[in-house]
Amino acid sequence: MIETTGKTAEQAPRPLERCWNKYSYNIPRPVKTPMYKMMIKNITPRLYQESILSTCVDKNCLVVLPTGLGKTLIALMLTSQRLKCFPNSKVLFLAPTRPLVEQHLSTFLKHFDIESDELAVFTGQVKPDKRAEMWKKAKVVFSTPQGLENDIISNRTDLSDVSLVIFDEAHRATGEYAYTFISKQYNRKARYPRVLALTASPGTDTEKIKEVCDNLYIEGVELRTDQDPDVKPYIQETDVVWVPLDFPKEFGRVQKHLKDCYESKLAEARNHGYVKKSMGMGKIGILKLQGALHSEIAKGDKSFEILKTVSLLAEAMKAEHAIELLETQGIAPLNAYFCKIYEEAQTSKVKAVKNLAIDLNIKSAYILTRGLIEEEVEHPKLAMVKKIISDEVNKKKDVKIIIFNQYRESAKNTQQELESIGITSKLFVGQAKKRGTGLSQKEQKNMLEEFKNGEFNCLVATSVAEEGIDIPRVDLVMFYEPVPSGIRTIQRRGRTGRQEKGRVLVLFTKGTRDEGYRWSAHHKEKRMYRELDTLKAKFHGFVERKDSNLDKYISPETNLKVIADSREKPAGVIKELADMGVEIDMKTLNVGDYLLSSRVAVEYKKIPDFVDSIVDGRLLDQIKRLKNTFERPIIIVEGDGDIYSQRNIHPNAIRGMLATIIVSYGIPVLQTKNVRETASLMSVIAKREQDPDFKEYNPHGSRKPMTLKEQQEYIVSSLPGVGPTLAKPLLEMFGSVKGVVIASPEELQKVGKIGVKKANEIQRVLGERYGG
């Protein structure tokens, strides 16, 4: 039977969770102020917000509400209700970016009756130890998910007393995004869990929407559109106008050469047998085929035909991108792309880039593009943007306009053109530095404040401004091009029409992919609302219990602990182990990647890294150190690819190394298919190795040499850079371990292969105060 709560009996809500709220019908309603209003100030909830709250109080709920209709107020009300029900609990508010986190903090400071020192902000700029200290004192914590994920793994954050987690922009809770891991951990550890998921657009695909619901343990959906009767009175009308533009005749020759290039690459790929003549090969089709071919290559198929096809598809994708730039952006962005291709061809070893650079169609298109730049021929979109913005500024001096552009180079060009005609504007982009552009989060925040305050008229933005930016009054939003994503279309459009009537202008070039993207986004948005209605009506059929099929290997009474090297990325195996309930202790390990007991260390490698470490010599050094330090070392090689086809190295070289590891050093080499299998194997070994009566184990190993001579060599070999090779000469020179310890750096250097640096490091380890 399907269990609609998604929880075991031990995880089910405690009786205390049934404390009164205005929607509990089995308890007499008191005359006092409803619990959810007790901590709210300077704001009055709307009827639809109270209606939505009724579901959120009783169930983990996904709230889908158009931008600007107060999703955050629902979070405020539910926070009040949970803190009143569970006075000693905490509330966790997650948002994907730092500006969004600070935006939510600002809302709580303004509308929530709580001391400011009980609100805490966690971002990557706050050090882990400081976050751990802040966590203990705070009642409401605002955080980006990535940093919190690390804190949960390393046990600096205890989720057991969190009575509510709010996931803003909840549509991100798919795949490996941090929301998914945090939700699993919260669902497992919290004593009185409740989840509130907020989004304006959860997705257009049924499976994606269901994935979001599954990952966040959703039990109910509250959906409102601008046509719902309880929402409609609060909706500000938004006029959407599509502005058609003719594709310039001058661009036609460039377009023809690019299309000929694209078709020639696909035709040649068909000759190799991997592309069917009837197969539709748009961008998505090419990406899917590339993924399938790369999978075959990983399994060992490195035939000329498959490698050549992969290269040809990469060339076709680049030609397709050039066509898109020409049709939707203009000559300047296309020219910049050509320049990038020719620059990369000079230094890159990628054949697709080199082949494209010498392709006659690409060369011809580039020459024609340079000619159009010299003639100052541009895409009509740019002239239309300048005309519209100029007219808007002339009508209203303090007008606020956002122009969205898919591409940073094109956005930069647009902003410069606006400045050239006297329009005050700024370029709003992400953090990555590309060709001299890039903003830190602090710079982004300051720019948005300047825009809010009317210090400039026009914000020219890439996709970074599509999500969650709170600017109360934007007079006009302009799409430089339609985007094929229903989610992104909704988010762009939602930047206007918040407090008063909004306007949206969408520029599109007739007879190009702009028209296709227009209708694609339209149909995806319609489909999203249909799917959500269906999901809402049949929701209980979608909710399933999320149990790990590996949990049976870890009995509840066994507290397993694994020490992981702090330099390992907190993803993959570490997250899988944490999902199984294994305690993870992150430490800097000199030998091995994971310690499963005092005698078992694991050197963990994926197949490409394993082969690379053979080539560069790292592996032999690592296995020597493993053998000298631990009694039962293990090497785990992960991946389902062919280990013998990773690099241009003879298979016998790999076989020889495997033989050396297994026979000469007696270290088993185990292969797993994926991170889940690796984590499962580690957990089984750890359970076998660890005695539950012992809470700690020695991370330095317990291999005890049999003779006094071996013990002395063992101690000296552990010094930095010494190892078993130099341990004997040192003991022979100074006579005893004590003699080595008291030797000066100058005396140590008399032993061969010990230089100044190594001698000083030995003395530093031996002489500095512990804990310094």
Side-chain angles (χ1 to χ4, degrees):
M1 180 180 291
I2 292 173
E3 193 174 332
T4 58
T5 62
K7 297 182 182 298
T8 62
E10 291 79 13
Q11 293 173 314
R14 306 308 194 258
L16 180 60
E17 191 172 4
R18 292 188 161 287
C19 63
W20 179 86
N21 64 75
K22 70 179 284 187
Y23 303 101
S24 296
Y25 301 108
N26 58 336
I27 301 175
R29 179 176 174 177
V31 179
K32 294 181 180 179
T33 303
M35 197 171 298
Y36 72 87
K37 289 185 178 179
M38 287 184 177
M39 302 177 75
I40 305 297
K41 62 181 183 181
N42 305 327
I43 195 168
T44 302
R46 296 167 178 171
L47 181 60
Y48 68 85
Q49 291 169 325
E50 294 181 308
S51 175
I52 290 171
L53 179 67
S54 66
T55 302
C56 300
V57 165
D58 294 328
K59 299 177 180 179
N60 292 344
C61 190
L62 172 66
V63 176
V64 183
L65 200 59
T67 300
L69 288 183
K71 292 186 289 291
T72 308
L73 179 53
I74 297 169
L76 278 163
M77 292 190 291
L78 189 58
T79 297
S80 175
Q81 191 268 344
R82 299 299 286 180
L83 290 180
K84 287 298 181 183
C85 277
F86 309 103
N88 296 321
S89 71
K90 302 178 188 296
V91 170
L92 180 59
F93 200 137
L94 297 174
T97 64
R98 182 182 167 193
L100 266 177
V101 166
E102 292 179 345
Q103 181 176 299
H104 292 313
L105 171 66
S106 176
T107 301
F108 268 68
L109 287 170
K110 186 176 179 181
H111 297 298
F112 203 65
D113 191 9
I114 191 172
E115 296 297 326
S116 59
D117 59 0
E118 293 184 299
L119 304 175
V121 172
F122 287 10
T123 65
Q125 295 185 340
V126 181
K127 292 183 178 180
D129 291 341
K130 180 66 174 176
R131 290 200 299 265
E133 182 184 334
M134 293 165 65
W135 178 267
K136 295 176 183 177
K137 298 176 182 178
K139 296 293 288 183
V140 183
V141 175
F142 303 85
S143 180
T144 51
Q146 293 81 7
L148 188 75
E149 182 181 53
N150 298 341
D151 290 344
I152 292 170
I153 289 171
S154 55
N155 297 304
R156 283 189 291 264
T157 295
D158 180 13
L159 296 176
S160 62
D161 289 327
V162 176
S163 60
L164 172 65
V165 176
I166 303 159
F167 294 92
D168 192 25
E169 308 294 352
H171 54 271
R172 289 178 174 243
T174 60
E176 294 298 316
Y177 191 67
Y179 276 0
T180 303
F181 173 76
I182 293 170
S183 176
K184 285 182 183 178
Q185 294 297 305
Y186 178 62
N187 185 66
R188 175 180 289 115
K189 296 177 179 179
R191 288 185 286 170
Y192 17 80
R194 177 66 71 241
V195 167
L196 174 61
L198 305 173
T199 183
S201 44
T204 56
D205 179 78
T206 305
E207 288 304 312
K208 284 292 182 184
I209 296 172
K210 184 178 180 295
E211 183 184 359
V212 170
C213 292
D214 284 346
N215 288 343
L216 299 182
Y217 298 85
I218 297 301
E219 300 162 336
V221 173
E222 281 289 343
L223 165 68
R224 297 292 189 279
T225 70
D226 52 12
Q227 297 303 311
D228 283 306
D230 57 348
V231 168
K232 203 166 185 177
Y234 304 99
I235 293 288
Q236 297 295 334
E237 184 182 351
T238 298
D239 289 334
V240 180
V241 177
W242 292 82
V243 182
L245 297 163
D246 293 322
F247 186 66
K249 292 180 180 179
E250 298 91 334
F251 288 12
R253 292 175 65 197
V254 180
Q255 184 189 48
K256 184 180 185 306
H257 282 295
L258 292 175
K259 285 185 174 181
D260 287 348
C261 173
Y262 176 76
E263 291 297 335
S264 69
K265 302 303 178 185
L266 291 184
E268 190 176 349
R270 289 189 184 98
N271 293 335
H272 294 295
Y274 289 97
V275 181
K276 296 179 182 178
K277 290 184 178 180
S278 59
M279 186 183 294
M281 290 303 293
K283 185 188 295 186
I284 295 175
I286 292 176
L287 289 172
K288 286 182 178 178
L289 182 56
Q290 281 181 318
L293 294 178
H294 280 297
S295 178
E296 291 301 313
I297 292 171
K299 293 176 183 177
D301 185 352
K302 288 194 173 183
S303 63
F304 170 80
E305 289 78 13
I306 196 170
L307 294 175
K308 184 62 175 177
T309 301
V310 167
S311 181
L312 287 166
L313 291 177
E315 293 172 48
M317 280 293 289
K318 290 180 182 299
E320 200 273 344
H321 180 64
I323 297 169
E324 181 166 348
L325 289 176
L326 176 68
E327 292 181 351
T328 70
Q329 304 300 312
I331 290 297
L334 177 62
N335 182 65
Y337 183 59
F338 280 141
C339 291
K340 180 183 175 186
I341 288 175
Y342 284 110
E343 286 172 11
E344 289 179 357
Q346 298 296 319
T347 56
S348 175
K349 294 181 180 179
V350 179
K351 290 184 178 179
V353 176
K354 289 184 173 294
N355 290 340
L356 207 62
I358 61 174
D359 184 274
L360 291 179
N361 279 307
I362 291 294
K363 282 185 175 181
S364 299
Y366 178 50
I367 292 168
L368 290 171
T369 299
R370 294 296 304 170
L372 290 172
I373 286 179
E374 290 171 5
E375 295 170 17
E376 298 184 351
V377 177
E378 252 303 344
H379 201 292
K381 285 184 179 179
L382 198 56
M384 181 60 72
V385 167
K386 291 192 285 188
K387 180 181 183 303
I388 291 172
I389 303 303
S390 295
D391 290 344
E392 293 293 327
V393 173
N394 290 333
K395 290 177 190 174
K396 185 180 179 182
K397 295 299 180 185
D398 62 345
V399 68
K400 287 191 178 75
I401 302 167
I402 298 179
I403 301 175
F404 282 108
N405 196 296
Q406 178 93 326
Y407 299 101
R408 184 178 292 199
E409 192 67 31
S410 186
K412 180 181 176 182
N413 187 47
T414 301
Q415 188 266 333
Q416 291 173 345
E417 288 292 325
L418 290 174
E419 285 289 333
S420 71
I421 60 171
I423 304 294
T424 56
S425 61
K426 289 198 175 182
L427 179 65
F428 189 81
V429 295
Q431 296 181 68
K433 295 286 184 182
K434 294 178 182 177
R435 295 183 177 269
T437 60
L439 298 175
S440 66
Q441 289 186 334
K442 184 177 180 180
E443 289 172 326
Q444 289 175 352
K445 182 182 177 182
N446 291 339
M447 188 178 293
L448 290 177
E449 285 299 317
E450 291 173 5
F451 187 53
K452 286 181 185 179
N453 296 333
E455 295 181 29
F456 59 95
N457 294 116
C458 191
L459 190 74
V460 184
T462 55
S463 59
V464 71
E466 291 173 354
E467 191 173 71
I469 289 177
D470 183 24
I471 301 172
R473 184 182 65 81
V474 175
D475 301 285
L476 173 65
V477 166
M478 180 182 289
F479 291 26
Y480 197 83
E481 71 287 291
V483 285
S485 164
I487 290 177
R488 292 181 60 199
T489 298
I490 292 168
Q491 289 174 331
R492 283 186 175 192
R493 200 172 57 224
R495 299 309 109 201
T496 186
R498 293 190 166 202
Q499 294 183 357
E500 54 189 46
K501 183 176 179 180
R503 294 160 58 218
V504 175
L505 295 181
V506 186
L507 308 183
F508 72 99
T509 313
K510 292 185 290 185
T512 70
R513 63 198 61 211
D514 270 352
E515 289 193 313
Y517 289 166
R518 171 188 180 179
W519 295 111
S520 174
H522 172 77
H523 292 304
K524 284 178 180 178
E525 184 178 348
K526 295 295 182 185
R527 186 167 69 245
M528 180 188 77
Y529 289 122
R530 287 198 304 270
E531 298 294 352
L532 281 168
D533 280 332
T534 303
L535 184 65
K536 185 178 179 182
K538 300 179 179 180
F539 191 76
H540 291 294
F542 283 96
V543 181
E544 301 174 4
R545 180 177 168 187
K546 293 173 72 68
D547 286 332
S548 168
N549 59 2
L550 301 175
D551 285 349
K552 59 187 177 183
Y553 294 107
I554 306 174
S555 56
E557 69 277 8
T558 303
N559 295 319
L560 295 184
K561 178 178 179 181
V562 169
I563 295 178
D565 188 0
S566 58
R567 290 163 292 191
E568 286 286 299
K569 290 183 178 180
V573 174
I574 292 178
K575 288 170 68 173
E576 287 290 338
L577 287 168
D579 280 343
M580 293 180 204
V582 177
E583 180 186 345
I584 306 295
D585 188 4
M586 304 292 289
K587 292 184 178 179
T588 301
L589 302 179
N590 293 323
V591 180
D593 297 315
Y594 297 89
L595 304 189
L596 308 184
S597 74
S598 59
R599 66 180 193 152
V600 177
V602 174
E603 184 68 33
Y604 165 70
K605 293 185 181 297
K606 295 193 175 182
I607 285 177
D609 183 46
F610 180 76
V611 176
D612 288 345
S613 66
I614 294 175
V615 175
D616 61 27
R618 283 182 292 124
L619 186 58
L620 195 58
D621 177 63
Q622 288 168 337
I623 62 175
K624 287 178 181 177
R625 294 167 66 196
L626 276 171
K627 187 65 178 177
N628 288 333
T629 309
F630 293 96
E631 186 179 345
R632 293 287 187 269
I634 298 170
I635 293 176
I636 294 180
V637 181
E638 181 184 290
D640 59 359
D642 181 9
I643 198 171
Y644 300 108
S645 62
Q646 294 301 307
R647 288 186 57 172
N648 189 21
I649 176 174
H650 198 282
N652 282 345
I654 298 173
R655 296 185 185 108
M657 178 56 74
L658 289 170
T660 299
I661 297 169
I662 297 168
V663 178
S664 301
Y665 288 89
I667 298 176
V669 180
L670 308 176
Q671 184 169 6
T672 56
K673 292 181 180 178
N674 50 49
V675 292
R676 178 163 290 189
E677 190 174 308
T678 302
S680 178
L681 176 61
M682 286 189 189
S683 70
V684 170
I685 296 171
K687 182 178 180 180
R688 182 183 182 281
E689 284 289 301
Q690 294 176 29
D691 184 345
D693 293 332
F694 294 94
K695 301 299 181 184
E696 295 289 339
Y697 56 88
N698 177 14
H700 301 295
S702 59
R703 188 169 186 252
K704 299 296 190 295
M706 297 299 296
T707 67
L708 174 63
K709 179 174 180 288
E710 287 174 336
Q711 290 183 50
Q712 290 170 325
E713 290 174 359
Y714 179 78
I715 293 169
V716 174
S717 69
S718 68
L719 294 172
V722 175
T725 304
L726 292 176
K728 289 180 181 179
L730 280 167
L731 286 165
E732 289 170 355
M733 170 73 76
F734 298 106
S736 65
V737 174
K738 183 177 180 180
V740 175
V741 171
I742 64 176
S744 68
E746 291 76 17
E747 291 172 325
L748 290 172
Q749 291 174 53
K750 293 178 181 179
V751 176
K753 296 185 180 180
I754 294 184
V756 176
K757 185 177 180 180
K758 191 176 291 185
N760 288 335
E761 183 63 14
I762 291 171
Q763 283 300 301
R764 188 183 72 82
V765 170
L766 293 172
E768 285 198 9
R769 185 177 179 82
Y770 175 69

